[in-house]
Amino acid sequence: MKQEELLNVIVKNIRHFRIERKLSQLELEHLAGLGENSLTNIENHKMKDLNLSTLNKIANALEIKITEFFIKRSKYNNKFRVDAKEK
């Protein structure tokens, strides 16, 4: 798998698990201890190099194994965002 394709799989999985848990980007940033707009940049492909430390923080905040991010899935959650008001 090429690096760009792998990054796309990781980003889709992050978004999928975030939405599945009904978390906004801001909420997940806080839970993971990430800087402001970090998750927005990740999900909008503005961050080209994700390090394992960041992925581990996100995985821990989502309460999943980091390996879940590397699985190419046939279906992802089609919702692109969850408004905090929906919670």
Side-chain angles (χ1 to χ4, degrees), residues 59-74:
N60 286 337
L62 293 169
E63 298 178 343
I64 61 172
K65 293 180 181 179
I66 194 171
T67 54
E68 291 291 328
F69 293 143
F70 299 93
I71 299 171
K72 189 173 184 178
R73 301 170 199 286
S74 58

Side-chain angles (χ1 to χ4, degrees), residues 1-73:
M1 188 180 303
K2 294 181 182 178
Q3 183 175 350
E4 190 173 318
E5 185 180 354
L6 178 59
L7 185 60
N8 192 40
V9 168
I10 292 168
V11 168
K12 283 183 177 181
N13 279 314
I14 290 171
R15 181 179 291 142
H16 168 78
F17 286 111
R18 176 180 64 78
I19 292 170
E20 185 177 80
R21 282 156 180 74
K22 296 181 172 46
L23 293 170
S24 69
Q25 290 174 334
L26 184 62
E27 289 169 324
L28 183 53
E29 282 174 351
H30 288 299
L31 287 172
L34 300 176
E36 189 176 322
N37 294 320
S38 296
L39 204 55
T40 301
N41 290 335
I42 291 169
E43 289 189 6
N44 291 322
H45 297 273
K46 292 181 181 176
M47 190 177 284
K48 297 297 180 191
D49 293 317
L50 282 173
N51 62 48
L52 287 177
S53 175
T54 300
L55 289 178
N56 194 49
K57 287 178 183 179
I58 296 169
N60 286 337
L62 293 169
E63 298 178 343
I64 61 172
K65 293 180 181 179
I66 194 171
T67 54
E68 291 291 328
F69 293 143
F70 299 93
I71 299 171
K72 189 173 184 178
R73 301 170 199 286

